Amino acid sequence: DHRYLHSFPTRRSSDLDLNPGVGGFAGIYRLNGKKYVVRGCSAKTTTNNKMELMAVIKTLESINAKGVRKCQITIRTDSQYIVNSSGKKASWFKDRPNEDLWIQLITTAVKGGHKIQFIKVKAHSGDDLNEECDRYAKEECVRAKHILAGNA
């Protein structure tokens, strides 16, 4: 049943957590008993907040691409930024940092007809999927550094 999905996005700005710096993100969700991992990086200067948003956006895009519509999705994240900003209308983000990414997140959720609930989890507290996302995001930061150095 894919009427209820869990997604576990996270990010890492860089392996030294420099902000801004290169970035990596990851999200994990389960659908019909199968686990999906979404991950990516930015070799350009980015911020932890942008990578947190990209984790949510790319995870939602992946869910939508599987034809899933009108689900209640619970997103567990260690990002206070995401949790505190969720539930706002698109107009609230006008002229605010990362306006374009927030609009993209809202548009992606609306496109799928999803209702999204954000839950804050404590980072590095033993939440297995959050820890797994963190590892993937760190790996993506390393990949971003290699891309930047021309070793991709």
Side-chain angles (χ1 to χ4, degrees), residues 4-149:
Y4 187 76
L5 297 170
H6 285 273
S7 176
F8 301 81
T10 189
R11 68 85 200 136
R12 181 67 61 191
S13 168
S14 79
D15 60 339
L16 299 174
D17 209 17
L18 300 173
N19 193 21
V22 297
F25 65 85
I28 297 173
Y29 66 96
R30 294 188 186 277
L31 177 61
N32 297 328
K34 184 175 178 187
K35 182 169 87 172
Y36 295 89
V37 177
V38 179
R39 53 195 285 178
C41 69
S42 174
K44 297 177 182 174
T45 299
T46 189
T47 66
N48 60 331
N49 289 340
K50 287 180 180 180
M51 291 293 92
E52 293 283 4
L53 285 163
M54 289 304 296
V56 176
I57 291 164
K58 293 302 183 183
T59 301
L60 289 174
E61 287 178 351
S62 177
I63 290 167
N64 288 350
K66 302 231 179 314
V68 177
R69 299 292 182 267
K70 298 183 179 179
C71 286
Q72 173 65 46
I73 300 175
T74 301
I75 297 178
R76 296 169 41 113
T77 178
D78 58 20
S79 170
Q80 193 68 46
Y81 173 67
I82 296 286
V83 172
N84 286 346
S85 300
S86 66
K88 309 277 190 209
K89 293 184 179 186
S91 60
W92 187 84
F93 296 102
K94 184 162 177 52
D95 300 324
R96 293 182 188 259
N98 304 317
E99 174 187 0
D100 58 331
L101 293 175
W102 279 107
I103 299 303
Q104 186 178 353
L105 188 158
I106 292 165
T107 302
T108 304
V110 168
K111 180 179 179 183
H114 305 302
K115 292 185 179 180
I116 300 175
Q117 175 186 16
F118 292 88
I119 296 176
K120 173 79 168 79
V121 296
K122 186 175 180 182
H124 312 293
S125 63
D127 183 307
D128 290 340
L129 288 175
N130 191 268
E131 299 293 335
E132 186 176 356
C133 275
D134 195 55
R135 282 191 304 277
Y136 291 141
K138 286 178 182 178
E139 289 172 8
E140 289 299 319
C141 281
V142 171
R143 188 167 75 91
K145 284 182 160 186
H146 288 293
I147 290 169
L148 190 63

